[in-house]
Amino acid sequence: MSRLFLTAALACAMAIPAAFAADPATADKGLCQGDPIGAFYVTKVAGAEDDGVEAGEALCYRCKYGSRPMVMVFARQTGEPVAKLVKEIDSAVAANGDAQLKGFVTLFGDKADSLKGEGKKMASKNVPIVVAKDKNGPANYKLSDAQVTIVIANDSQVVARHEFDADKVDVAAVMSEVKQMLN
């Protein structure tokens, strides 16, 4: 009996890496619908003053929010459309407390001090603004060269992903996806 169990366990262990291997056709395309979202560390700059995290504190917001529905904005550059998106996400988080909707904005790039200043300008009541530890953003999210990437997730999986130039963020499309996720 133990030999049968050992054989089954070995077969299962050998199959696991194959089941989680990346599809070569999508490996460089970033996260896709159904992909798991991973942990990454950031430093809080501003916003969400009531979330128990102080400005300057390092943490993993994705981990803090667990499997709740969330909107993650990754921005290399900011501008009025990004600020408008933050306001819309802030309103959606406030209006969807029962669904436990969460959101956060991760800024990343070469100039951390400049990013912190931009983050403070976008501060909102319910959405923390953070700076990524890695100047290229979280590697496990396979971010492209897009100036703004939005990942909408629920149950720790990607529901949708959008990429935009900073001045061409389609706020309506993103918020429509958020609404669909919550219904």
Side-chain angles (χ1 to χ4, degrees), residues 84-110:
K84 181 179 179 189
L85 177 63
V86 173
K87 288 178 185 174
E88 291 290 327
I89 294 170
D90 186 69
S91 294
V93 168
N96 291 285
D98 290 346
Q100 298 184 3
L101 177 65
K102 300 295 182 186
F104 62 96
V105 177
T106 302
L107 305 175
F108 62 100
D110 291 325

mmCIF file with all atom_site columns, all heavy atoms in Angstrom, residues 84-110:
data_model
loop_
_atom_site.group_PDB
_atom_site.id
_atom_site.type_symbol
_atom_site.label_atom_id
_atom_site.label_alt_id
_atom_site.label_comp_id
_atom_site.label_asym_id
_atom_site.label_entity_id
_atom_site.label_seq_id
_atom_site.pdbx_PDB_ins_code
_atom_site.Cartn_x
_atom_site.Cartn_y
_atom_site.Cartn_z
_atom_site.occupancy
_atom_site.B_iso_or_equiv
_atom_site.pdbx_formal_charge
_atom_site.auth_seq_id
_atom_site.auth_comp_id
_atom_site.auth_asym_id
_atom_site.auth_atom_id
_atom_site.pdbx_PDB_model_num
ATOM 1   N N   . LYS A 1 84  ? -8.086  61.186 -12.724 1.00 0.00 ? 84  LYS A N   1
ATOM 2   C CA  . LYS A 1 84  ? -9.527  60.962 -12.852 1.00 0.00 ? 84  LYS A CA  1
ATOM 3   C C   . LYS A 1 84  ? -9.861  59.504 -12.535 1.00 0.00 ? 84  LYS A C   1
ATOM 4   O O   . LYS A 1 84  ? -10.852 59.224 -11.853 1.00 0.00 ? 84  LYS A O   1
ATOM 5   C CB  . LYS A 1 84  ? -10.004 61.327 -14.256 1.00 0.00 ? 84  LYS A CB  1
ATOM 6   C CG  . LYS A 1 84  ? -11.492 61.140 -14.451 1.00 0.00 ? 84  LYS A CG  1
ATOM 7   C CD  . LYS A 1 84  ? -11.948 61.523 -15.841 1.00 0.00 ? 84  LYS A CD  1
ATOM 8   C CE  . LYS A 1 84  ? -13.448 61.293 -15.967 1.00 0.00 ? 84  LYS A CE  1
ATOM 9   N NZ  . LYS A 1 84  ? -13.927 61.435 -17.315 1.00 0.00 ? 84  LYS A NZ  1
ATOM 10  N N   . LEU A 1 85  ? -9.030  58.577 -13.023 1.00 0.00 ? 85  LEU A N   1
ATOM 11  C CA  . LEU A 1 85  ? -9.234  57.159 -12.735 1.00 0.00 ? 85  LEU A CA  1
ATOM 12  C C   . LEU A 1 85  ? -9.161  56.904 -11.234 1.00 0.00 ? 85  LEU A C   1
ATOM 13  O O   . LEU A 1 85  ? -9.992  56.176 -10.682 1.00 0.00 ? 85  LEU A O   1
ATOM 14  C CB  . LEU A 1 85  ? -8.216  56.299 -13.476 1.00 0.00 ? 85  LEU A CB  1
ATOM 15  C CG  . LEU A 1 85  ? -8.278  54.799 -13.196 1.00 0.00 ? 85  LEU A CG  1
ATOM 16  C CD1 . LEU A 1 85  ? -9.608  54.205 -13.643 1.00 0.00 ? 85  LEU A CD1 1
ATOM 17  C CD2 . LEU A 1 85  ? -7.114  54.082 -13.871 1.00 0.00 ? 85  LEU A CD2 1
ATOM 18  N N   . VAL A 1 86  ? -8.187  57.507 -10.563 1.00 0.00 ? 86  VAL A N   1
ATOM 19  C CA  . VAL A 1 86  ? -8.058  57.331 -9.115  1.00 0.00 ? 86  VAL A CA  1
ATOM 20  C C   . VAL A 1 86  ? -9.322  57.810 -8.408  1.00 0.00 ? 86  VAL A C   1
ATOM 21  O O   . VAL A 1 86  ? -9.827  57.142 -7.499  1.00 0.00 ? 86  VAL A O   1
ATOM 22  C CB  . VAL A 1 86  ? -6.798  58.049 -8.574  1.00 0.00 ? 86  VAL A CB  1
ATOM 23  C CG1 . VAL A 1 86  ? -6.756  58.018 -7.051  1.00 0.00 ? 86  VAL A CG1 1
ATOM 24  C CG2 . VAL A 1 86  ? -5.534  57.423 -9.150  1.00 0.00 ? 86  VAL A CG2 1
ATOM 25  N N   . LYS A 1 87  ? -9.864  58.939 -8.837  1.00 0.00 ? 87  LYS A N   1
ATOM 26  C CA  . LYS A 1 87  ? -11.099 59.459 -8.233  1.00 0.00 ? 87  LYS A CA  1
ATOM 27  C C   . LYS A 1 87  ? -12.264 58.494 -8.452  1.00 0.00 ? 87  LYS A C   1
ATOM 28  O O   . LYS A 1 87  ? -13.075 58.271 -7.553  1.00 0.00 ? 87  LYS A O   1
ATOM 29  C CB  . LYS A 1 87  ? -11.439 60.829 -8.800  1.00 0.00 ? 87  LYS A CB  1
ATOM 30  C CG  . LYS A 1 87  ? -10.516 61.919 -8.315  1.00 0.00 ? 87  LYS A CG  1
ATOM 31  C CD  . LYS A 1 87  ? -10.848 63.250 -8.945  1.00 0.00 ? 87  LYS A CD  1
ATOM 32  C CE  . LYS A 1 87  ? -9.831  64.298 -8.522  1.00 0.00 ? 87  LYS A CE  1
ATOM 33  N NZ  . LYS A 1 87  ? -10.019 65.574 -9.208  1.00 0.00 ? 87  LYS A NZ  1
ATOM 34  N N   . GLU A 1 88  ? -12.343 57.921 -9.641  1.00 0.00 ? 88  GLU A N   1
ATOM 35  C CA  . GLU A 1 88  ? -13.416 56.964 -9.937  1.00 0.00 ? 88  GLU A CA  1
ATOM 36  C C   . GLU A 1 88  ? -13.264 55.691 -9.110  1.00 0.00 ? 88  GLU A C   1
ATOM 37  O O   . GLU A 1 88  ? -14.257 55.145 -8.603  1.00 0.00 ? 88  GLU A O   1
ATOM 38  C CB  . GLU A 1 88  ? -13.448 56.634 -11.429 1.00 0.00 ? 88  GLU A CB  1
ATOM 39  C CG  . GLU A 1 88  ? -13.897 57.783 -12.301 1.00 0.00 ? 88  GLU A CG  1
ATOM 40  C CD  . GLU A 1 88  ? -15.370 58.120 -12.136 1.00 0.00 ? 88  GLU A CD  1
ATOM 41  O OE1 . GLU A 1 88  ? -16.184 57.205 -11.895 1.00 0.00 ? 88  GLU A OE1 1
ATOM 42  O OE2 . GLU A 1 88  ? -15.705 59.312 -12.243 1.00 0.00 ? 88  GLU A OE2 1
ATOM 43  N N   . ILE A 1 89  ? -12.037 55.204 -8.988  1.00 0.00 ? 89  ILE A N   1
ATOM 44  C CA  . ILE A 1 89  ? -11.800 54.005 -8.170  1.00 0.00 ? 89  ILE A CA  1
ATOM 45  C C   . ILE A 1 89  ? -12.141 54.317 -6.716  1.00 0.00 ? 89  ILE A C   1
ATOM 46  O O   . ILE A 1 89  ? -12.772 53.512 -6.031  1.00 0.00 ? 89  ILE A O   1
ATOM 47  C CB  . ILE A 1 89  ? -10.344 53.512 -8.308  1.00 0.00 ? 89  ILE A CB  1
ATOM 48  C CG1 . ILE A 1 89  ? -10.085 53.027 -9.738  1.00 0.00 ? 89  ILE A CG1 1
ATOM 49  C CG2 . ILE A 1 89  ? -10.049 52.392 -7.308  1.00 0.00 ? 89  ILE A CG2 1
ATOM 50  C CD1 . ILE A 1 89  ? -8.621  52.752 -10.048 1.00 0.00 ? 89  ILE A CD1 1
ATOM 51  N N   . ASP A 1 90  ? -11.741 55.494 -6.251  1.00 0.00 ? 90  ASP A N   1
ATOM 52  C CA  . ASP A 1 90  ? -12.040 55.917 -4.882  1.00 0.00 ? 90  ASP A CA  1
ATOM 53  C C   . ASP A 1 90  ? -13.547 55.884 -4.639  1.00 0.00 ? 90  ASP A C   1
ATOM 54  O O   . ASP A 1 90  ? -14.014 55.352 -3.623  1.00 0.00 ? 90  ASP A O   1
ATOM 55  C CB  . ASP A 1 90  ? -11.476 57.318 -4.628  1.00 0.00 ? 90  ASP A CB  1
ATOM 56  C CG  . ASP A 1 90  ? -11.621 57.746 -3.193  1.00 0.00 ? 90  ASP A CG  1
ATOM 57  O OD1 . ASP A 1 90  ? -10.942 57.164 -2.326  1.00 0.00 ? 90  ASP A OD1 1
ATOM 58  O OD2 . ASP A 1 90  ? -12.426 58.664 -2.932  1.00 0.00 ? 90  ASP A OD2 1
ATOM 59  N N   . SER A 1 91  ? -14.327 56.429 -5.558  1.00 0.00 ? 91  SER A N   1
ATOM 60  C CA  . SER A 1 91  ? -15.790 56.433 -5.435  1.00 0.00 ? 91  SER A CA  1
ATOM 61  C C   . SER A 1 91  ? -16.346 55.015 -5.457  1.00 0.00 ? 91  SER A C   1
ATOM 62  O O   . SER A 1 91  ? -17.259 54.689 -4.684  1.00 0.00 ? 91  SER A O   1
ATOM 63  C CB  . SER A 1 91  ? -16.420 57.239 -6.572  1.00 0.00 ? 91  SER A CB  1
ATOM 64  O OG  . SER A 1 91  ? -16.076 58.591 -6.463  1.00 0.00 ? 91  SER A OG  1
ATOM 65  N N   . ALA A 1 92  ? -15.808 54.168 -6.335  1.00 0.00 ? 92  ALA A N   1
ATOM 66  C CA  . ALA A 1 92  ? -16.279 52.783 -6.432  1.00 0.00 ? 92  ALA A CA  1
ATOM 67  C C   . ALA A 1 92  ? -15.979 52.012 -5.148  1.00 0.00 ? 92  ALA A C   1
ATOM 68  O O   . ALA A 1 92  ? -16.822 51.231 -4.675  1.00 0.00 ? 92  ALA A O   1
ATOM 69  C CB  . ALA A 1 92  ? -15.655 52.094 -7.637  1.00 0.00 ? 92  ALA A CB  1
ATOM 70  N N   . VAL A 1 93  ? -14.791 52.222 -4.568  1.00 0.00 ? 93  VAL A N   1
ATOM 71  C CA  . VAL A 1 93  ? -14.439 51.550 -3.314  1.00 0.00 ? 93  VAL A CA  1
ATOM 72  C C   . VAL A 1 93  ? -15.414 51.984 -2.216  1.00 0.00 ? 93  VAL A C   1
ATOM 73  O O   . VAL A 1 93  ? -15.920 51.153 -1.454  1.00 0.00 ? 93  VAL A O   1
ATOM 74  C CB  . VAL A 1 93  ? -12.972 51.843 -2.922  1.00 0.00 ? 93  VAL A CB  1
ATOM 75  C CG1 . VAL A 1 93  ? -12.680 51.397 -1.494  1.00 0.00 ? 93  VAL A CG1 1
ATOM 76  C CG2 . VAL A 1 93  ? -12.015 51.162 -3.892  1.00 0.00 ? 93  VAL A CG2 1
ATOM 77  N N   . ALA A 1 94  ? -15.696 53.282 -2.134  1.00 0.00 ? 94  ALA A N   1
ATOM 78  C CA  . ALA A 1 94  ? -16.623 53.801 -1.121  1.00 0.00 ? 94  ALA A CA  1
ATOM 79  C C   . ALA A 1 94  ? -18.031 53.235 -1.318  1.00 0.00 ? 94  ALA A C   1
ATOM 80  O O   . ALA A 1 94  ? -18.707 52.893 -0.346  1.00 0.00 ? 94  ALA A O   1
ATOM 81  C CB  . ALA A 1 94  ? -16.655 55.324 -1.170  1.00 0.00 ? 94  ALA A CB  1
ATOM 82  N N   . ALA A 1 95  ? -18.459 53.120 -2.561  1.00 0.00 ? 95  ALA A N   1
ATOM 83  C CA  . ALA A 1 95  ? -19.824 52.671 -2.854  1.00 0.00 ? 95  ALA A CA  1
ATOM 84  C C   . ALA A 1 95  ? -19.989 51.153 -2.760  1.00 0.00 ? 95  ALA A C   1
ATOM 85  O O   . ALA A 1 95  ? -21.117 50.660 -2.694  1.00 0.00 ? 95  ALA A O   1
ATOM 86  C CB  . ALA A 1 95  ? -20.227 53.134 -4.254  1.00 0.00 ? 95  ALA A CB  1
ATOM 87  N N   . ASN A 1 96  ? -18.895 50.419 -2.772  1.00 0.00 ? 96  ASN A N   1
ATOM 88  C CA  . ASN A 1 96  ? -18.980 48.959 -2.798  1.00 0.00 ? 96  ASN A CA  1
ATOM 89  C C   . ASN A 1 96  ? -18.329 48.315 -1.574  1.00 0.00 ? 96  ASN A C   1
ATOM 90  O O   . ASN A 1 96  ? -17.629 47.303 -1.687  1.00 0.00 ? 96  ASN A O   1
ATOM 91  C CB  . ASN A 1 96  ? -18.351 48.423 -4.089  1.00 0.00 ? 96  ASN A CB  1
ATOM 92  C CG  . ASN A 1 96  ? -19.181 48.774 -5.291  1.00 0.00 ? 96  ASN A CG  1
ATOM 93  O OD1 . ASN A 1 96  ? -20.225 48.186 -5.534  1.00 0.00 ? 96  ASN A OD1 1
ATOM 94  N ND2 . ASN A 1 96  ? -18.736 49.773 -6.040  1.00 0.00 ? 96  ASN A ND2 1
ATOM 95  N N   . GLY A 1 97  ? -18.583 48.905 -0.418  1.00 0.00 ? 97  GLY A N   1
ATOM 96  C CA  . GLY A 1 97  ? -18.047 48.370 0.830   1.00 0.00 ? 97  GLY A CA  1
ATOM 97  C C   . GLY A 1 97  ? -18.542 46.966 1.124   1.00 0.00 ? 97  GLY A C   1
ATOM 98  O O   . GLY A 1 97  ? -17.790 46.134 1.636   1.00 0.00 ? 97  GLY A O   1
ATOM 99  N N   . ASP A 1 98  ? -19.795 46.686 0.776   1.00 0.00 ? 98  ASP A N   1
ATOM 100 C CA  . ASP A 1 98  ? -20.339 45.350 1.017   1.00 0.00 ? 98  ASP A CA  1
ATOM 101 C C   . ASP A 1 98  ? -19.610 44.287 0.208   1.00 0.00 ? 98  ASP A C   1
ATOM 102 O O   . ASP A 1 98  ? -19.433 43.159 0.658   1.00 0.00 ? 98  ASP A O   1
ATOM 103 C CB  . ASP A 1 98  ? -21.831 45.295 0.683   1.00 0.00 ? 98  ASP A CB  1
ATOM 104 C CG  . ASP A 1 98  ? -22.675 46.078 1.677   1.00 0.00 ? 98  ASP A CG  1
ATOM 105 O OD1 . ASP A 1 98  ? -22.161 46.436 2.763   1.00 0.00 ? 98  ASP A OD1 1
ATOM 106 O OD2 . ASP A 1 98  ? -23.848 46.343 1.367   1.00 0.00 ? 98  ASP A OD2 1
ATOM 107 N N   . ALA A 1 99  ? -19.176 44.649 -0.991  1.00 0.00 ? 99  ALA A N   1
ATOM 108 C CA  . ALA A 1 99  ? -18.430 43.722 -1.846  1.00 0.00 ? 99  ALA A CA  1
ATOM 109 C C   . ALA A 1 99  ? -16.942 43.696 -1.492  1.00 0.00 ? 99  ALA A C   1
ATOM 110 O O   . ALA A 1 99  ? -16.191 42.904 -2.052  1.00 0.00 ? 99  ALA A O   1
ATOM 111 C CB  . ALA A 1 99  ? -18.593 44.110 -3.313  1.00 0.00 ? 99  ALA A CB  1
ATOM 112 N N   . GLN A 1 100 ? -16.525 44.574 -0.579  1.00 0.00 ? 100 GLN A N   1
ATOM 113 C CA  . GLN A 1 100 ? -15.139 44.691 -0.132  1.00 0.00 ? 100 GLN A CA  1
ATOM 114 C C   . GLN A 1 100 ? -14.181 45.046 -1.269  1.00 0.00 ? 100 GLN A C   1
ATOM 115 O O   . GLN A 1 100 ? -13.032 44.613 -1.291  1.00 0.00 ? 100 GLN A O   1
ATOM 116 C CB  . GLN A 1 100 ? -14.677 43.423 0.584   1.00 0.00 ? 100 GLN A CB  1
ATOM 117 C CG  . GLN A 1 100 ? -15.456 43.127 1.831   1.00 0.00 ? 100 GLN A CG  1
ATOM 118 C CD  . GLN A 1 100 ? -14.916 41.923 2.583   1.00 0.00 ? 100 GLN A CD  1
ATOM 119 O OE1 . GLN A 1 100 ? -13.927 41.314 2.218   1.00 0.00 ? 100 GLN A OE1 1
ATOM 120 N NE2 . GLN A 1 100 ? -15.586 41.581 3.661   1.00 0.00 ? 100 GLN A NE2 1
ATOM 121 N N   . LEU A 1 101 ? -14.659 45.851 -2.220  1.00 0.00 ? 101 LEU A N   1
ATOM 122 C CA  . LEU A 1 101 ? -13.800 46.301 -3.316  1.00 0.00 ? 101 LEU A CA  1
ATOM 123 C C   . LEU A 1 101 ? -12.639 47.109 -2.761  1.00 0.00 ? 101 LEU A C   1
ATOM 124 O O   . LEU A 1 101 ? -12.811 47.945 -1.877  1.00 0.00 ? 101 LEU A O   1
ATOM 125 C CB  . LEU A 1 101 ? -14.594 47.157 -4.309  1.00 0.00 ? 101 LEU A CB  1
ATOM 126 C CG  . LEU A 1 101 ? -13.786 47.744 -5.471  1.00 0.00 ? 101 LEU A CG  1
ATOM 127 C CD1 . LEU A 1 101 ? -13.244 46.628 -6.379  1.00 0.00 ? 101 LEU A CD1 1
ATOM 128 C CD2 . LEU A 1 101 ? -14.644 48.712 -6.277  1.00 0.00 ? 101 LEU A CD2 1
ATOM 129 N N   . LYS A 1 102 ? -11.454 46.863 -3.287  1.00 0.00 ? 102 LYS A N   1
ATOM 130 C CA  . LYS A 1 102 ? -10.235 47.574 -2.903  1.00 0.00 ? 102 LYS A CA  1
ATOM 131 C C   . LYS A 1 102 ? -9.545  48.081 -4.155  1.00 0.00 ? 102 LYS A C   1
ATOM 132 O O   . LYS A 1 102 ? -9.771  47.582 -5.257  1.00 0.00 ? 102 LYS A O   1
ATOM 133 C CB  . LYS A 1 102 ? -9.274  46.656 -2.131  1.00 0.00 ? 102 LYS A CB  1
ATOM 134 C CG  . LYS A 1 102 ? -9.855  46.084 -0.860  1.00 0.00 ? 102 LYS A CG  1
ATOM 135 C CD  . LYS A 1 102 ? -10.138 47.159 0.158   1.00 0.00 ? 102 LYS A CD  1
ATOM 136 C CE  . LYS A 1 102 ? -10.670 46.581 1.449   1.00 0.00 ? 102 LYS A CE  1
ATOM 137 N NZ  . LYS A 1 102 ? -11.073 47.612 2.384   1.00 0.00 ? 102 LYS A NZ  1
ATOM 138 N N   . GLY A 1 103 ? -8.687  49.052 -3.977  1.00 0.00 ? 103 GLY A N   1
ATOM 139 C CA  . GLY A 1 103 ? -7.900  49.561 -5.088  1.00 0.00 ? 103 GLY A CA  1
ATOM 140 C C   . GLY A 1 103 ? -6.639  50.204 -4.564  1.00 0.00 ? 103 GLY A C   1
ATOM 141 O O   . GLY A 1 103 ? -6.578  50.645 -3.413  1.00 0.00 ? 103 GLY A O   1
ATOM 142 N N   . PHE A 1 104 ? -5.608  50.236 -5.389  1.00 0.00 ? 104 PHE A N   1
ATOM 143 C CA  . PHE A 1 104 ? -4.389  50.958 -5.055  1.00 0.00 ? 104 PHE A CA  1
ATOM 144 C C   . PHE A 1 104 ? -3.643  51.303 -6.328  1.00 0.00 ? 104 PHE A C   1
ATOM 145 O O   . PHE A 1 104 ? -3.821  50.671 -7.369  1.00 0.00 ? 104 PHE A O   1
ATOM 146 C CB  . PHE A 1 104 ? -3.501  50.204 -4.058  1.00 0.00 ? 104 PHE A CB  1
ATOM 147 C CG  . PHE A 1 104 ? -2.984  48.867 -4.513  1.00 0.00 ? 104 PHE A CG  1
ATOM 148 C CD1 . PHE A 1 104 ? -1.716  48.742 -5.069  1.00 0.00 ? 104 PHE A CD1 1
ATOM 149 C CD2 . PHE A 1 104 ? -3.749  47.724 -4.358  1.00 0.00 ? 104 PHE A CD2 1
ATOM 150 C CE1 . PHE A 1 104 ? -1.226  47.511 -5.458  1.00 0.00 ? 104 PHE A CE1 1
ATOM 151 C CE2 . PHE A 1 104 ? -3.273  46.488 -4.751  1.00 0.00 ? 104 PHE A CE2 1
ATOM 152 C CZ  . PHE A 1 104 ? -2.006  46.373 -5.306  1.00 0.00 ? 104 PHE A CZ  1
ATOM 153 N N   . VAL A 1 105 ? -2.825  52.347 -6.233  1.00 0.00 ? 105 VAL A N   1
ATOM 154 C CA  . VAL A 1 105 ? -2.056  52.832 -7.374  1.00 0.00 ? 105 VAL A CA  1
ATOM 155 C C   . VAL A 1 105 ? -0.587  52.654 -7.055  1.00 0.00 ? 105 VAL A C   1
ATOM 156 O O   . VAL A 1 105 ? -0.093  53.160 -6.039  1.00 0.00 ? 105 VAL A O   1
ATOM 157 C CB  . VAL A 1 105 ? -2.359  54.319 -7.653  1.00 0.00 ? 105 VAL A CB  1
ATOM 158 C CG1 . VAL A 1 105 ? -1.498  54.830 -8.806  1.00 0.00 ? 105 VAL A CG1 1
ATOM 159 C CG2 . VAL A 1 105 ? -3.837  54.515 -7.940  1.00 0.00 ? 105 VAL A CG2 1
ATOM 160 N N   . THR A 1 106 ? 0.124   51.931 -7.923  1.00 0.00 ? 106 THR A N   1
ATOM 161 C CA  . THR A 1 106 ? 1.550   51.699 -7.756  1.00 0.00 ? 106 THR A CA  1
ATOM 162 C C   . THR A 1 106 ? 2.310   52.511 -8.797  1.00 0.00 ? 106 THR A C   1
ATOM 163 O O   . THR A 1 106 ? 2.134   52.308 -10.001 1.00 0.00 ? 106 THR A O   1
ATOM 164 C CB  . THR A 1 106 ? 1.887   50.203 -7.933  1.00 0.00 ? 106 THR A CB  1
ATOM 165 O OG1 . THR A 1 106 ? 1.126   49.445 -6.989  1.00 0.00 ? 106 THR A OG1 1
ATOM 166 C CG2 . THR A 1 106 ? 3.367   49.946 -7.725  1.00 0.00 ? 106 THR A CG2 1
ATOM 167 N N   . LEU A 1 107 ? 3.124   53.432 -8.320  1.00 0.00 ? 107 LEU A N   1
ATOM 168 C CA  . LEU A 1 107 ? 3.978   54.229 -9.197  1.00 0.00 ? 107 LEU A CA  1
ATOM 169 C C   . LEU A 1 107 ? 5.352   53.575 -9.242  1.00 0.00 ? 107 LEU A C   1
ATOM 170 O O   . LEU A 1 107 ? 5.834   53.055 -8.232  1.00 0.00 ? 107 LEU A O   1
ATOM 171 C CB  . LEU A 1 107 ? 4.081   55.657 -8.658  1.00 0.00 ? 107 LEU A CB  1
ATOM 172 C CG  . LEU A 1 107 ? 2.751   56.379 -8.419  1.00 0.00 ? 107 LEU A CG  1
ATOM 173 C CD1 . LEU A 1 107 ? 3.002   57.744 -7.779  1.00 0.00 ? 107 LEU A CD1 1
ATOM 174 C CD2 . LEU A 1 107 ? 1.978   56.527 -9.711  1.00 0.00 ? 107 LEU A CD2 1
ATOM 175 N N   . PHE A 1 108 ? 5.984   53.615 -10.410 1.00 0.00 ? 108 PHE A N   1
ATOM 176 C CA  . PHE A 1 108 ? 7.326   53.045 -10.498 1.00 0.00 ? 108 PHE A CA  1
ATOM 177 C C   . PHE A 1 108 ? 8.123   53.746 -11.584 1.00 0.00 ? 108 PHE A C   1
ATOM 178 O O   . PHE A 1 108 ? 7.565   54.330 -12.513 1.00 0.00 ? 108 PHE A O   1
ATOM 179 C CB  . PHE A 1 108 ? 7.278   51.534 -10.721 1.00 0.00 ? 108 PHE A CB  1
ATOM 180 C CG  . PHE A 1 108 ? 6.613   51.092 -11.989 1.00 0.00 ? 108 PHE A CG  1
ATOM 181 C CD1 . PHE A 1 108 ? 7.364   50.734 -13.085 1.00 0.00 ? 108 PHE A CD1 1
ATOM 182 C CD2 . PHE A 1 108 ? 5.231   51.015 -12.091 1.00 0.00 ? 108 PHE A CD2 1
ATOM 183 C CE1 . PHE A 1 108 ? 6.758   50.311 -14.254 1.00 0.00 ? 108 PHE A CE1 1
ATOM 184 C CE2 . PHE A 1 108 ? 4.611   50.594 -13.245 1.00 0.00 ? 108 PHE A CE2 1
ATOM 185 C CZ  . PHE A 1 108 ? 5.382   50.241 -14.335 1.00 0.00 ? 108 PHE A CZ  1
ATOM 186 N N   . GLY A 1 109 ? 9.435   53.718 -11.422 1.00 0.00 ? 109 GLY A N   1
ATOM 187 C CA  . GLY A 1 109 ? 10.336  54.362 -12.365 1.00 0.00 ? 109 GLY A CA  1
ATOM 188 C C   . GLY A 1 109 ? 11.662  54.684 -11.691 1.00 0.00 ? 109 GLY A C   1
ATOM 189 O O   . GLY A 1 109 ? 11.921  54.273 -10.562 1.00 0.00 ? 109 GLY A O   1
ATOM 190 N N   . ASP A 1 110 ? 12.492  55.444 -12.402 1.00 0.00 ? 110 ASP A N   1
ATOM 191 C CA  . ASP A 1 110 ? 13.840  55.747 -11.925 1.00 0.00 ? 110 ASP A CA  1
ATOM 192 C C   . ASP A 1 110 ? 13.897  56.791 -10.815 1.00 0.00 ? 110 ASP A C   1
ATOM 193 O O   . ASP A 1 110 ? 14.816  56.779 -10.009 1.00 0.00 ? 110 ASP A O   1
ATOM 194 C CB  . ASP A 1 110 ? 14.719  56.225 -13.086 1.00 0.00 ? 110 ASP A CB  1
ATOM 195 C CG  . ASP A 1 110 ? 15.020  55.105 -14.063 1.00 0.00 ? 110 ASP A CG  1
ATOM 196 O OD1 . ASP A 1 110 ? 15.163  53.949 -13.615 1.00 0.00 ? 110 ASP A OD1 1
ATOM 197 O OD2 . ASP A 1 110 ? 15.102  55.387 -15.275 1.00 0.00 ? 110 ASP A OD2 1
#
